[in-house]
Amino acid sequence: MRRFILRYRGEGARPQDAVEKIRAIGGAAVLEDSDRMMLVEAPEQELRQALGSETDWIIAPEVTYEVPDTRKKVRKPPSKRK
């Protein structure tokens, strides 16, 4: 399952009924939860259906980036001298 970031952009506190719809999705897991944002692992189709009529929620897939390796590397090993 993919992870999604849900952001509530409406006025005031987020509606609890929408949060309960998200938690009721079979196999879904709420990984992080704050006042306006949630990190949810759930099937995308079911998540979009649960929030289909809610216009104040933004659903975006979580994006991860690999940190580049910035350590210096030897391109050519030193020659063996005696």
Side-chain angles (χ1 to χ4, degrees):
M1 267 187 278
R2 293 181 64 190
R3 291 179 171 190
F4 295 91
I5 299 168
L6 309 177
R7 183 174 184 274
Y8 179 68
R9 61 179 180 171
E11 301 256 340
R14 66 183 184 192
Q16 276 307 115
D17 61 327
V19 174
E20 293 306 317
K21 286 180 191 177
I22 295 164
R23 292 184 186 275
I25 296 171
V30 176
L31 305 173
E32 294 285 331
D33 191 1
S34 68
D35 292 342
R36 295 206 161 284
M37 298 180 83
M38 297 173 78
L39 177 62
V40 178
E41 189 174 63
E44 182 175 6
Q45 187 68 20
E46 292 179 36
L47 184 60
R48 291 195 183 277
Q49 285 177 351
L51 292 176
S53 62
E54 304 286 337
T55 58
D56 290 332
W57 287 87
I58 297 173
I59 302 172
E62 180 187 43
V63 178
T64 58
Y65 298 94
E66 194 171 313
V67 178
D69 183 10
T70 59
R71 293 178 288 187
K72 294 183 179 182
K73 296 180 178 94
V74 176
R75 291 185 188 202
K76 183 179 176 185
S79 60
K80 295 181 181 180
R81 294 185 184 183
K82 285 193 174 187

